[in-house]
Short mmCIF file of all heavy atoms in Angstrom, two decimals:
data_model
loop_
_atom_site.label_atom_id
_atom_site.label_comp_id
_atom_site.label_asym_id
_atom_site.label_seq_id
_atom_site.Cartn_x
_atom_site.Cartn_y
_atom_site.Cartn_z
N GLU A 1194 20.38 67.92 -26.96
CA GLU A 1194 19.71 68.62 -28.06
C GLU A 1194 20.27 68.01 -29.49
O GLU A 1194 21.43 67.64 -29.48
CB GLU A 1194 20.18 70.10 -28.11
CG GLU A 1194 19.55 71.00 -26.97
CD GLU A 1194 17.96 71.08 -27.33
OE1 GLU A 1194 17.55 71.20 -28.41
OE2 GLU A 1194 17.22 71.19 -26.19
N PRO A 1195 19.28 67.71 -30.29
CA PRO A 1195 19.78 67.19 -31.66
C PRO A 1195 20.71 68.24 -32.31
O PRO A 1195 20.48 69.47 -32.24
CB PRO A 1195 18.51 66.82 -32.40
CG PRO A 1195 17.51 67.82 -31.84
CD PRO A 1195 17.88 68.03 -30.36
N ILE A 1196 21.58 67.76 -33.28
CA ILE A 1196 22.32 68.66 -34.09
C ILE A 1196 22.39 68.15 -35.39
O ILE A 1196 22.74 67.03 -35.77
CB ILE A 1196 23.88 68.86 -33.52
CG1 ILE A 1196 23.76 69.34 -32.11
CG2 ILE A 1196 24.66 69.67 -34.42
CD1 ILE A 1196 25.05 70.03 -31.62
N ASN A 1197 21.98 69.10 -36.27
CA ASN A 1197 21.92 68.62 -37.82
C ASN A 1197 23.35 68.38 -38.41
O ASN A 1197 24.25 69.06 -38.02
CB ASN A 1197 21.17 69.84 -38.47
CG ASN A 1197 21.04 69.50 -39.94
OD1 ASN A 1197 21.99 69.70 -40.68
ND2 ASN A 1197 19.91 69.14 -40.32
N TYR A 1198 23.39 67.41 -39.21
CA TYR A 1198 24.71 67.09 -39.69
C TYR A 1198 25.34 68.12 -40.70
O TYR A 1198 26.55 68.21 -40.81
CB TYR A 1198 24.65 65.55 -40.37
CG TYR A 1198 24.15 65.47 -41.77
CD1 TYR A 1198 24.84 65.72 -42.91
CD2 TYR A 1198 22.74 65.18 -41.90
CE1 TYR A 1198 24.27 65.63 -44.13
CE2 TYR A 1198 22.20 65.01 -43.18
CZ TYR A 1198 22.94 65.26 -44.26
OH TYR A 1198 22.48 65.17 -45.52
N HIS A 1199 24.42 68.84 -41.40
CA HIS A 1199 24.89 69.91 -42.31
C HIS A 1199 25.59 70.96 -41.48
O HIS A 1199 26.75 71.50 -41.78
CB HIS A 1199 23.68 70.64 -42.91
CG HIS A 1199 23.16 69.88 -44.10
ND1 HIS A 1199 24.02 69.56 -45.15
CD2 HIS A 1199 22.05 69.33 -44.52
CE1 HIS A 1199 23.34 68.84 -46.04
NE2 HIS A 1199 22.09 68.75 -45.69
N THR A 1200 25.12 71.17 -40.20
CA THR A 1200 25.67 72.30 -39.38
C THR A 1200 27.08 71.72 -38.86
O THR A 1200 28.03 72.53 -39.01
CB THR A 1200 24.85 72.50 -38.10
OG1 THR A 1200 23.43 72.60 -38.52
CG2 THR A 1200 25.24 73.64 -37.35
N LEU A 1201 27.20 70.48 -38.58
CA LEU A 1201 28.37 69.86 -38.22
C LEU A 1201 29.39 69.80 -39.33
O LEU A 1201 30.53 70.26 -39.13
CB LEU A 1201 28.25 68.36 -37.70
CG LEU A 1201 27.63 68.21 -36.30
CD1 LEU A 1201 27.06 66.87 -36.26
CD2 LEU A 1201 28.80 68.48 -35.28
N SER A 1202 28.91 69.42 -40.44
CA SER A 1202 29.85 69.39 -41.59
C SER A 1202 30.30 70.71 -41.95
O SER A 1202 31.55 70.87 -42.23
CB SER A 1202 28.98 68.77 -42.76
OG SER A 1202 29.69 68.62 -43.91
N ASP A 1203 29.51 71.66 -42.05
CA ASP A 1203 29.94 73.09 -42.39
C ASP A 1203 30.94 73.69 -41.37
O ASP A 1203 31.91 74.27 -41.74
CB ASP A 1203 28.69 74.02 -42.56
CG ASP A 1203 27.92 73.72 -43.68
OD1 ASP A 1203 28.40 72.81 -44.45
OD2 ASP A 1203 26.76 74.19 -43.79
N PHE A 1204 30.63 73.35 -40.10
CA PHE A 1204 31.48 73.98 -39.09
C PHE A 1204 32.93 73.45 -39.33
O PHE A 1204 33.88 74.26 -39.04
CB PHE A 1204 30.95 73.51 -37.75
CG PHE A 1204 31.84 74.17 -36.62
CD1 PHE A 1204 31.49 75.52 -36.18
CD2 PHE A 1204 32.90 73.56 -35.95
CE1 PHE A 1204 32.18 76.14 -35.18
CE2 PHE A 1204 33.66 74.12 -34.98
CZ PHE A 1204 33.42 75.39 -34.53
N ARG A 1205 33.10 72.15 -39.61
CA ARG A 1205 34.41 71.54 -39.69
C ARG A 1205 35.29 72.30 -40.78
O ARG A 1205 36.52 72.29 -40.70
CB ARG A 1205 34.34 70.04 -40.02
CG ARG A 1205 35.55 69.37 -40.17
CD ARG A 1205 35.45 67.95 -40.11
NE ARG A 1205 34.58 67.31 -41.14
CZ ARG A 1205 34.39 66.12 -41.45
NH1 ARG A 1205 35.28 65.24 -40.74
NH2 ARG A 1205 33.43 65.62 -42.39
N VAL A 1206 34.67 72.80 -41.93
CA VAL A 1206 35.54 73.25 -43.01
C VAL A 1206 35.36 74.92 -43.21
O VAL A 1206 36.20 75.32 -43.98
CB VAL A 1206 35.25 72.40 -44.27
CG1 VAL A 1206 35.67 71.00 -44.16
CG2 VAL A 1206 33.77 72.61 -44.71
N VAL A 1207 34.49 75.39 -42.53
CA VAL A 1207 34.18 76.81 -42.93
C VAL A 1207 35.34 77.68 -42.28
O VAL A 1207 35.87 78.69 -42.96
CB VAL A 1207 32.91 77.20 -42.53
CG1 VAL A 1207 32.73 78.87 -42.42
CG2 VAL A 1207 31.79 76.70 -43.53
N HIS A 1208 35.69 77.48 -41.03
CA HIS A 1208 36.55 78.38 -40.34
C HIS A 1208 38.01 78.02 -40.46
O HIS A 1208 38.59 77.54 -39.49
CB HIS A 1208 36.12 78.44 -38.89
CG HIS A 1208 34.66 78.74 -38.69
ND1 HIS A 1208 34.03 79.89 -38.65
CD2 HIS A 1208 33.69 77.86 -38.49
CE1 HIS A 1208 32.72 79.80 -38.45
NE2 HIS A 1208 32.44 78.49 -38.39
#
Side-chain angles (χ1 to χ4, degrees):
E1194 286 291 324
I1196 300 203
N1197 181 279
Y1198 77 87
H1199 280 301
T1200 313
L1201 278 161
S1202 176
D1203 291 347
F1204 184 87
R1205 180 167 51 168
V1206 293
V1207 162
H1208 309 276

